[in-house]
């Protein structure tokens, strides 16, 4: 072979290996999966919508060796020109744009290694060996090893093959069979809320109202008189007496401090007498629009404020300083990294949080990726709608978050018929429908994503109405608009999700937390419409998974466990799982925490799977939650979390793992 052509072959092969870009030949769409085996050097698959379906599961399969980008760079085009005089159009490539050309490109890449004895690819920055890797890709689904250079994956395959990427300065992780998953993505969490919770009274898991009072009183004794005492996490459904609490006993225990305690879902608070007095809430205070002041039998406020009424006391709490907000967000991101999350969809931020994120980015203290949604009620929403999407590698803001109703536990979720355990009450509509429709129309015009919180069946129907109006009655799957929670959805509206191309962004642990009492709220027939993961998937609706932390734990292992088993950790649900017909398979659960989360954030070419060309976001675990016994999933420990090829969390004693 002439030396110039040999040189061109080697230069092209090196470029392909270094850049690890996508397939030159557009792959056919398929729902199936390949079985190439661990030893294959795989081509990354594109994730895109297609005629006849939409969402991240409409993926393609490229050739089984190595590919290049559908839109080659100028350098690739120049090298293609050296290899073939047949160029057709500005993208170049000529005959190499056929399927056989794609295989030829792979052969050329391999020839660059094999042409000389002992030839090896350029060394990687990081190599993972002897692992159990679940790629979440179509093929290969499993691998033993992978190599990372410049933050991206450059090889996936066997340890024998990938060991060739080890150089003098390569970091090598010999995992001895431990499990590697793609970086896990929580598609609905609240980072500022999590950071705030880390600094206030933790009421999660309290088994009685007396225990709540004891924890709060202990904090009050450590707090100067007159300062606010804040807490979060109580849930009356976990107490022997499941009635909403009365502030009387709490007020007696905390006479010198205003106290505000968020319910576990964040959509109701319990305030003591001092806080109610500061807010001017008394017997004659009317319910605010979209909110409710709960009252005792004598008509006096009992201290529980629901939905919009919570602002009557929360607005009096001194706001955090910018520095405090930055510390909260950084603490929350570090906590997420420690449980294996590499990306969070932050479900509602305002200007204060956006400015804090900007400051953290400027300082380079940003351990995970954040895909943020602007609260519709915050001035930030208008800024986003005016300027359009703000896209970045670590921080993206291109979404408006609207809350259309409340939560099921506090009976704020908007139902089409009264609650089974409160006749005459249907919940609360917390956002004007006309304003929702106006925001949706404006968002579509500006290329902004919409994500609407809707829990009750009427809330979900109204959200779909607003989307359908903005869509002009036509399916718009490319917009990737979602409904958050989608907890109680009529079967006809599940079909409407599919017809319109709307995503169901759900939280598996909500089902297992609410399961013990959901039927009390909904009744035996309507409960069949709830937490219907399998029904959504069967209808062809993409299912993104998350936790809604700090409502639930941010630990995605608990979400995987709930998804696969429909069981809780306390034994209150049936051993076979609550409504087990809605369970997900382990692979479906994994993809709901990886592939769909990346796709919903418009990052499917970078994130969600462990494939050549993807960013190297992954987590190392001490056991296998996908192929191992489901009972062990909640006890799974994170040994290492890696974002863009850089370790952002390492468990004590996990060096080298």
């Amino acid at each position: 072979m002439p030396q110039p052509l040999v040189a061109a072959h080697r230069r092209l092969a090196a470029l392909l290996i270094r850049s690890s870009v996508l397939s030159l030949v557009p792959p056919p769409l398929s729902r199936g999966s390949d079985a190439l085996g661990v030893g294959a050097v795989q081509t990354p698959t594109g994730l895109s919508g297609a005629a006849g379906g939409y969402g991240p599961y409409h993926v393609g399969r490229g050739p089984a060796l190595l590919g290049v980008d559908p839109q080659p760079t100028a350098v690739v085009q120049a090298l293609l020109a050296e290899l073939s005089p047949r160029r057709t159009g500005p993208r170049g490539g000529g005959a190499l744009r056929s399927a056989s050309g794609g295989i030829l490109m792979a052969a050329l890449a391999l020839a660059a290694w094999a042409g000389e004895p002992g030839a090896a690819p350029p060394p990687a920055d990081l190599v993972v060996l002897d692992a159990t890797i679940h790629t979440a890709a179509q093929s290969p689904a499993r691998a033993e090893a992978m190599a990372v250079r410049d933050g991206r994956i450059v090889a996936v395959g066997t340890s024998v093959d990938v060991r060739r990427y080890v150089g003098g300065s390569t970091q090598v992780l010999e995992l001895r069979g431990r499990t590697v998953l793609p970086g896990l993505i929580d598609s609905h969490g609240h980072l500022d809320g999590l950071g705030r919770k880390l600094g206030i009274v933790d009421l999660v898991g309290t088994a009685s109202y007396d225990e709540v009072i004891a924890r709060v009183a202990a904090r009050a004794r450590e707090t100067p008189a007159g300062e606010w005492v804040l807490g979060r996490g109580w849930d009356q459904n976990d107490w022997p007496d499941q009635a909403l609490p009365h502030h009387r006993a709490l007020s007696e225990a905390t006479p010198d401090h205003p106290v505000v305690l968020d319910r576990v879902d964040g959509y109701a608070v319990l305030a003591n007498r001092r806080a109610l007095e500061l807010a001017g809430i008394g017997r004659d205070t009317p319910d605010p629009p979209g909110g409710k002041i709960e009252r005792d039998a004598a008509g006096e406020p009992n201290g529980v404020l629901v939905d919009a009424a919570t602002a009557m006391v929360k607005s009096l709490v001194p706001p955090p300083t910018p520095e405090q907000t930055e510390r909260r967000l950084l603490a929350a991101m570090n906590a997420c990294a420690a449980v294996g999350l590499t990306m969070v969809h932050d479900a509602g931020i305002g200007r204060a949080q956006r400015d804090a994120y900007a400051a953290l980015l400027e300082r380079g203290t940003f351990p995970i990726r954040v895909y943020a949604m602007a609260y519709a009620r915050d001035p930030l929403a208008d800024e986003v709608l005016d300027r359009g999407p703000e896209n970045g590698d670590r921080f993206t803001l291109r979404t408006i978050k609207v809350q259309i109703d409340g939560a099921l536990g506090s009976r704020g979720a908007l139902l089409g018929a009264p609650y089974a355990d409160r006749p005459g009450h249907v919940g609360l509509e917390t956002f004007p429908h006309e304003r929702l429709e106006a925001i949706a129309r404006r968002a579509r015009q500006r290329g902004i994503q919409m994500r609407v919180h809707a829990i009750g069946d009427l809330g979900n129907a109204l959200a779909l109405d607003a989307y359908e109006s903005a869509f002009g009655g036509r399916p718009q799957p490319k917009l990737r608009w979602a409904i958050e929670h989608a907890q109680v959805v009529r079967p006809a509206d599940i079909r409407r999700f599919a017809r319109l191309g709307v995503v169901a962004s759900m939280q598996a642990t909500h089902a297992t937390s609410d399961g013990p009492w959901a039927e009390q709220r909904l009744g035996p027939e309507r409960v069949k419409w709830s937490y219907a993961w399998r029904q959504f998937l069967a209808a062809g609706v993409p299912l993104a998974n998350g936790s809604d932390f700090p409502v639930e734990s941010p630990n995605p292992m608990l979400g995987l466990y709930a998804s696969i088993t429909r069981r809780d950790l306390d034994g209150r649900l049936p051993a076979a799982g609550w409504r087990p017909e809605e369970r997900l398979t382990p692979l479906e659960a994994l993809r709901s925490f990886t592939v769909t989360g990346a796709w919903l954030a418009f990052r499917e070419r970078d994130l969600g799977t462990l494939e050549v060309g993807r960013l190297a976001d992954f987590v190392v675990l001490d056991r296998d939650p996908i192929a191992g016994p489901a009972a062990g999933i909640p006890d799974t420990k994170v040994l290492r979390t890696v974002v863009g090829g850089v370790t952002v969390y390492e468990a004590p004693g996990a060096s080298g793992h």
Side-chain angles (χ1 to χ4, degrees):
M1 181 181 295
Q3 285 302 113
L5 192 55
V6 171
H9 284 177
R10 290 178 177 168
R11 288 165 56 204
L12 178 58
L15 177 65
L16 295 176
I17 296 163
R18 281 196 301 271
S19 61
S20 301
V21 288
L22 301 176
S23 175
L24 177 64
V25 182
L29 291 169
S30 172
R31 287 182 180 270
S33 60
D34 291 332
L36 296 180
V38 168
V41 182
Q42 110 296 332
T43 301
T45 56
L47 301 173
S48 61
Y54 69 106
Y57 303 107
H58 283 251
V59 299
R61 296 180 292 180
L65 295 174
L66 186 68
V68 296
D69 195 271
Q71 297 181 350
T73 63
V75 177
V76 173
Q77 292 182 30
L79 290 170
L80 289 172
E82 293 183 53
L83 294 171
S84 173
R86 298 174 57 190
R87 299 189 64 193
T88 56
R91 293 173 66 173
L96 292 178
R97 295 193 59 77
S98 66
S100 60
I103 297 172
L104 173 60
M105 300 302 298
L108 292 174
L110 296 176
W113 303 342
E116 298 177 8
D125 302 319
L126 170 66
V127 165
V128 175
L129 299 172
D130 190 21
T132 300
I133 300 176
H134 294 277
T135 68
Q138 290 234 341
S139 61
R142 301 272 294 267
E144 292 177 350
M146 62 183 178
V148 176
R149 189 186 307 110
D150 297 329
R152 290 189 180 268
I153 298 170
V154 295
V156 177
T158 66
S159 293
V160 171
D161 289 337
V162 174
R163 194 177 294 276
R164 300 166 65 187
Y165 287 81
V166 176
S169 60
T170 302
Q171 180 187 8
V172 179
L173 300 179
E174 294 268 9
L175 296 187
R176 299 193 295 277
R178 289 183 173 86
T179 298
V180 173
L181 301 182
L184 296 164
I185 298 172
D186 191 311
S187 291
H188 187 113
H190 301 273
L191 285 161
D192 190 55
L194 178 60
R196 174 179 175 270
K197 181 183 176 183
L198 295 173
I200 64 176
V201 184
D202 183 6
L203 302 176
V204 173
T206 47
S208 68
Y209 187 27
D210 288 342
E211 186 177 351
V212 169
I213 293 171
R215 293 190 190 185
V216 174
R219 177 64 61 89
R221 288 192 291 271
E222 303 169 355
T223 304
E227 290 190 10
W228 289 77
V229 174
L230 307 176
R232 178 165 182 157
W234 62 271
D235 184 353
Q236 82 282 2
N237 296 300
D238 294 340
W239 304 340
D241 180 0
Q242 296 186 1
L244 288 171
H246 197 290
H247 73 78
R248 190 179 299 111
L250 175 66
S251 298
E252 291 172 356
T254 56
D256 301 323
H257 301 80
V259 175
V260 178
L261 309 176
D262 280 277
R263 191 179 180 276
V264 66
D265 55 24
Y267 299 115
V269 301
L270 172 62
N272 72 347
R273 181 181 294 109
R274 186 78 178 271
L276 293 172
E277 290 172 350
L278 289 173
I281 297 174
R283 181 186 184 92
D284 299 325
T285 306
D287 291 343
K292 185 172 180 60
I293 301 170
E294 297 285 353
R295 303 171 193 273
D296 60 22
E300 296 290 341
N302 68 5
V304 175
L305 309 174
V306 181
D307 291 315
T310 63
M312 300 172 76
V313 291
K314 283 189 170 183
S315 63
L316 303 178
V317 178
T321 66
E323 293 76 16
Q324 288 172 327
T325 301
E326 291 169 28
R327 288 197 295 270
R328 280 184 185 179
L329 291 174
L330 182 57
M333 287 192 282
N334 284 328
C336 288
V339 294
L341 293 172
T342 59
M343 184 180 195
V344 169
H345 295 215
D346 196 343
I349 70 168
R351 282 177 174 168
Q353 291 76 30
R354 191 272 312 273
D355 292 346
Y357 279 131
L360 293 170
L361 281 169
E362 181 69 22
R363 293 203 300 270
T365 50
F366 215 97
I368 64 172
R369 306 183 197 278
V370 174
Y371 183 80
M373 317 173 202
Y375 272 127
R377 294 186 183 276
D378 191 277
L380 179 62
D382 280 326
E383 293 181 26
V384 173
L385 289 167
D386 285 341
R387 72 166 183 261
E390 175 185 338
N391 297 315
D393 180 54
R394 288 296 171 105
F395 179 77
T396 294
L397 177 57
R398 59 172 299 166
T399 302
I400 303 297
K401 163 76 180 302
V402 177
Q403 180 188 333
I404 202 171
D405 67 355
L408 192 64
S410 54
R411 299 182 184 85
L414 186 61
L415 303 182
Y419 278 76
D421 58 356
R422 184 177 287 184
H425 179 69
V426 296
L428 299 168
E429 184 175 2
T430 59
F431 201 86
H433 192 72
E434 296 77 11
R435 187 178 173 199
L436 171 59
E437 288 186 322
I439 291 174
R441 287 193 297 270
R442 191 176 169 198
R444 186 185 173 194
Q445 292 167 358
R446 297 293 294 158
I448 297 297
Q449 186 185 53
M450 288 289 295
R451 313 256 306 250
V452 173
H453 160 121
I455 289 180
D457 62 298
L458 182 54
N460 276 273
L462 291 173
L464 289 171
D465 288 346
Y467 284 9
E468 188 162 11
S469 176
F471 294 172
R474 295 181 296 275
Q476 297 291 345
K478 292 183 179 180
L479 298 180
R480 307 184 194 186
W481 288 15
I483 291 182
E484 303 299 306
H485 309 307
Q487 284 184 13
V488 186
V489 183
R490 304 163 188 166
D493 281 332
I494 290 179
R495 295 190 291 273
R496 195 150 61 122
F497 268 80
R499 178 171 61 81
L500 293 174
V502 175
V503 181
S505 176
M506 305 178 74
Q507 298 76 43
T509 46
H510 279 343
T512 51
S513 293
D514 299 355
W517 48 262
E519 188 169 335
Q520 297 174 27
R521 298 285 191 275
L522 299 171
E525 292 304 316
R526 194 166 43 183
V527 76
K528 298 174 184 177
W529 305 348
S530 64
Y531 314 92
W533 315 328
R534 174 61 54 199
Q535 294 178 51
F536 276 109
L537 287 181
V541 177
L543 178 63
N545 221 325
S547 67
D548 198 14
F549 66 73
V551 176
E552 306 280 357
S553 167
N555 184 354
M557 294 302 118
L558 302 183
L560 288 171
Y561 178 72
S563 298
I564 295 166
T565 68
R566 300 275 292 199
R567 294 200 298 262
D568 64 344
L569 301 181
D570 303 322
R572 295 184 299 165
L573 295 175
W578 180 62
R579 301 184 57 238
E581 68 275 9
E582 297 291 348
R583 288 179 299 190
L584 303 182
T585 68
L587 183 57
E588 288 170 338
L590 175 62
R591 286 177 170 168
S592 72
F593 273 102
T594 54
V595 174
T596 316
W599 174 84
L600 187 55
F602 297 88
R603 296 297 302 273
E604 67 270 18
R605 288 197 176 271
D606 287 329
L607 304 170
T609 61
L610 297 177
E611 298 180 86
V612 170
R614 298 297 199 264
L615 289 166
D617 289 13
F618 63 91
V619 57
V620 180
L621 307 173
D622 71 341
R623 68 190 71 190
D624 190 340
I626 306 305
I633 296 175
D635 297 323
T636 302
K637 299 294 187 296
V638 174
L639 302 179
R640 182 183 298 269
T641 303
V642 177
V643 176
V646 176
T647 296
V648 296
Y649 170 77
E650 183 178 321
S655 179
H657 297 150

